[in-house]
Amino acid sequence: ASATDNRTHDHSADCLPGQCAGDIAERHSILGGATGILGRALHGERTTPDGVGRYVEYERGLIYSTAGTGAWAVWGAIRDRYA
């Protein structure tokens, strides 16, 4: 089966609606994915306690994201300090 986005004249949309990777998944991929610095995800995206952002915890760190800041990874001594 083939999935095609017919919304654009030249079919150049980056991905189909609902199937685009979020900014957390993109940051994780940039950092090497499951074999990178953070390792594999321990859970899916969750809302931060203040309700403003989202985060995912990985084996060796976290990625937080808000609309204002985008996605940022935290690991190592900085993560340990704020854990």
Side-chain angles (χ1 to χ4, degrees):
S2 173
T4 304
D5 184 340
N6 289 313
R7 293 176 302 155
T8 62
H9 174 63
D10 60 1
H11 306 290
S12 61
D14 292 335
C15 55
L16 294 171
Q19 296 180 353
C20 298
D23 56 345
I24 291 176
E26 287 179 15
R27 177 66 58 195
H28 186 239
S29 178
I30 289 168
L31 294 171
T35 59
I37 188 84
L38 298 178
R40 64 179 181 80
L42 301 180
H43 56 74
E45 283 191 18
R46 295 182 177 168
T47 302
T48 56
D50 64 4
V52 174
R54 300 174 330 280
Y55 73 98
V56 174
E57 183 176 7
Y58 298 88
E59 293 172 307
R60 295 178 292 280
L62 297 102
I63 298 178
Y64 291 95
S65 178
T66 69
T69 65
W72 291 89
V74 180
W75 71 89
I78 294 173
R79 177 191 181 210
D80 296 345
R81 164 87 173 143
Y82 292 99

